Amino acid sequence: MSKTKIIVVGASHGGHQSVLELTRKYKDLDIKLFEAGDFISFMSCGMELYLENSVTDVNDVRNFKPEDLEKRGAEVYANHEVTKIDADKKQVAVKDLKSGETQNYDYDKLILSSGVTPNDLPVPGHDLENVYLMRGKDWAEKIKAKLTDPAVKNITVIGAGYIGIEAAEASTKAGKHVTLIDMIDRPLGNYLDADLTDVIAKELADKGVDVVTGAKIESYEGAGKVTAVKTSDAEYPSDLVIQAAGVKPNTEWLKGTVDLDARGWIETDEYLRTNLPDVYAMGDAVLAYSIPAQTKMPIALATVVRREARYVVEHIFENTPSVPFQGVVGSSALSVFDYHFASSGLNTTTAKKAGVTIKTSFYKDTLRPAYVPAEKGNPDVYVGLDFDPQTHKILGGAVLSTYDITAQGNVIALAVQQGLRLEDLAQADFFFQPGFDRQWSLLNLAAQHALGEPEFTK
């Protein structure tokens, strides 16, 4: 009897997790994983660590090696781009990017995890030399070379999201003068509420990063090689430009075959199925169902696609999946020089985009009791909570400090996922030990503050 044929498109987190789950749960499968890139599979979220010389080797910054999955019975093909789906024949056309030849492969089930591509701003000069993107192994190696090049003195980073912040920090630590430019009004403004981004903005400035917000990029200047970035208000000398201005779904090849929305995101039902029979989609090219927003949103996180992959494989052989995908909270963390933060769920920006009404509360305190001086390990800590003003249901939040309290972000994520209210978090039973925290734990205090209770001063 012939084996059931499973084809997986994309070798990042979604493809990796799909094959792990398939080989763990089922026997007698013919699994083929196709990846257009030549390196399987670079972990772009580890790029800053590589740029700062904090990894063993650039070739180790990856989710897995092909042989890791081949040992489990899967076939892994790098430099193989899936270019077309024939749903009637249940075949995909795959181009070997080295030989140029195209071959058709049959499938019984097809999993799409095609991901996204970084935006190359369509402004004059975007094709100049030394205008780089911040994604993938090739770009990582090119940026690393520039960070050690004494001729590169001024680096301009476009985009003050996670990737832009990482590029700015790595470049600053390499001794470069860094200008960080974004069109919105504050760095990390899509990820944190204003009280927390104020702290981040000051940290960036204190570390020597020139932060320019509310700026419109008009052009990259230079003759052959970039020399400056021109905005509507000023011009910034630039020996290197690193573009980190968002992403777009890698779905152009699916047009006319798989249903896409107006922006190119793959449309799926509550079971992560596309309009084509036996074709599933997951990851950054798909809008994820947000538990706090109760709608689909772009949530480009490895944690999201791995949960989607686990769900798809669990139900892939059911005619109708027994349960819909429950959705995700959307949690992430980042270090910004001396500060560390973690965020979960909605914030003022994402709630507005989703049409969700929220109320916010900002809480500042010290990590440990007041009798411990700051120089003995008692730094300031900050908590933002976002909640439904009528029900007090927690819809999101973030924690920030020079001390690593990012694990508290996981507590907020669990609170959002389980539908807890401020009242629940205000009295949740957490430990106390003055070497670690206050008599009431930090999130207890933040929730009590949000409820308007008197300040706990000891």
Side-chain angles (χ1 to χ4, degrees):
M1 189 173 72
S2 62
K3 293 183 177 182
T4 300
K5 296 179 173 62
I6 311 287
I7 288 180
V8 181
V9 180
S12 190
H13 297 280
H16 181 219
Q17 192 67 42
S18 293
V19 175
L20 288 179
E21 296 295 326
L22 287 165
T23 55
R24 179 179 68 86
K25 289 183 63 65
Y26 306 110
K27 303 294 183 183
D28 298 321
L29 296 180
D30 176 352
I31 304 170
K32 291 181 172 62
L33 172 64
F34 294 111
E35 166 60 42
D38 63 352
F39 185 83
I40 294 178
S41 60
F42 188 74
M43 193 181 295
S44 289
C45 53
M47 188 184 293
E48 182 184 5
L49 293 174
Y50 164 64
L51 295 177
E52 295 178 0
N53 301 311
S54 297
V55 302
T56 50
D57 184 84
V58 66
N59 294 312
D60 297 332
V61 186
R62 63 199 308 174
N63 281 299
F64 66 97
K65 298 177 181 178
E67 54 266 33
D68 295 337
L69 296 186
E70 289 166 348
K71 290 176 183 176
R72 303 174 71 95
E75 298 174 35
V76 181
Y77 297 86
N79 295 297
H80 279 67
E81 181 181 11
V82 180
T83 60
K84 186 179 179 180
I85 301 171
D86 187 327
D88 295 329
K89 295 182 179 179
K90 299 193 79 170
Q91 289 181 338
V92 293
V94 183
K95 182 178 181 180
D96 184 328
L97 297 179
K98 287 191 172 181
S99 70
E101 297 179 357
T102 296
Q103 182 176 342
N104 293 327
Y105 293 85
D106 297 328
Y107 68 84
D108 295 301
K109 303 286 183 179
L110 175 61
I111 297 174
L112 304 178
S113 183
S114 55
V116 293
T117 54
N119 284 329
D120 184 4
L121 294 185
V123 298
H126 72 98
D127 55 350
L128 288 171
E129 186 180 342
N130 290 348
V131 176
Y132 288 2
L133 297 171
M134 180 83 169
R135 193 178 184 92
K137 178 174 179 285
D138 290 346
W139 286 114
E141 292 179 315
K142 289 179 181 179
I143 293 172
K144 181 68 172 290
K146 294 298 181 183
L147 295 187
T148 57
D149 183 351
V152 175
K153 302 182 185 303
N154 297 299
I155 296 179
T156 300
V157 178
I158 310 299
Y162 276 36
I163 296 172
I165 292 291
E166 290 179 335
E169 181 168 350
S171 300
T172 300
K173 289 179 177 178
K176 311 301 183 182
H177 174 259
V178 177
T179 303
L180 179 64
I181 302 177
D182 204 306
M183 64 183 296
I184 65 174
D185 62 351
R186 50 199 173 88
L188 295 169
N190 289 323
Y191 305 93
L192 297 172
D193 293 332
D195 290 309
L196 295 175
T197 57
D198 286 347
V199 179
I200 295 296
K202 183 179 184 302
E203 175 71 357
L204 289 167
D206 288 347
K207 292 299 190 292
V209 178
D210 290 337
V211 179
V212 180
T213 56
K216 179 182 179 182
I217 306 296
E218 291 192 342
S219 64
Y220 301 142
E221 300 294 311
K225 182 184 297 184
V226 71
T227 57
V229 172
K230 184 179 180 181
T231 71
S232 53
D233 299 317
E235 193 168 298
Y236 302 92
S238 308
D239 302 307
L240 174 67
V241 173
I242 301 175
Q243 298 185 109
V247 295
K248 56 187 176 184
N250 181 23
T251 56
E252 187 70 25
W253 65 284
L254 295 172
K255 283 185 176 180
T257 305
V258 173
D259 286 347
L260 309 175
D261 72 5
R263 297 184 60 192
W265 306 103
I266 301 173
E267 293 189 342
T268 60
D269 64 11
E270 66 270 33
Y271 306 115
L272 299 181
R273 300 179 300 189
T274 71
N275 61 299
L276 302 181
D278 296 312
V279 179
Y280 303 81
M282 62 182 67
D284 295 356
V286 176
L287 298 180
Y289 183 76
S290 165
I291 292 172
Q294 296 185 43
T295 190
K296 291 184 177 181
M297 303 173 61
I299 309 176
L301 295 169
T303 51
V304 170
V305 67
R306 288 194 178 272
R307 282 155 179 78
E308 291 172 335
R310 190 179 181 93
Y311 168 84
V312 165
V313 173
E314 179 74 23
H315 302 282
I316 197 167
F317 294 117
E318 298 174 6
N319 290 329
T320 299
S322 55
V323 294
F325 179 61
Q326 71 169 7
V328 296
V329 173
S331 302
S332 57
L334 188 70
S335 291
V336 185
F337 291 101
D338 293 338
Y339 279 88
H340 317 281
F341 76 83
S343 65
S344 293
L346 299 179
N347 55 57
T348 52
T349 300
T350 55
K352 183 177 180 180
K353 290 180 179 178
V356 177
T357 299
I358 64 171
K359 186 175 181 180
T360 66
S361 175
F362 175 70
Y363 180 69
K364 177 183 177 182
D365 209 324
T366 55
L367 179 67
R368 298 162 63 191
Y371 58 76
V372 180
E375 61 270 20
K376 295 297 183 180
N378 194 18
D380 289 339
V381 289
Y382 307 87
V383 180
L385 292 177
D386 302 281
F387 55 93
D388 185 306
Q390 296 299 315
T391 65
H392 290 178
K393 187 176 178 180
I394 300 168
L395 301 178
V399 294
L400 171 71
S401 180
T402 54
Y403 187 85
D404 187 359
I405 58 171
T406 51
Q408 300 272 16
N410 287 329
V411 179
I412 296 175
L414 190 61
V416 174
Q417 185 175 29
Q418 297 302 314
L420 300 188
R421 300 170 302 126
L422 291 175
E423 288 81 357
D424 301 316
L425 189 58
Q427 60 183 3
D429 190 3
F430 301 126
F431 76 85
F432 160 64
Q433 211 288 333
F436 296 95
D437 65 355
R438 305 282 301 279
Q439 295 94 320
W440 284 98
S441 189
L442 175 61
L443 295 182
N444 292 141
L445 293 169
Q448 292 167 11
H449 174 77
L451 290 168
E453 295 184 13
E455 181 182 359
F456 184 81
T457 57
K458 296 295 184 181

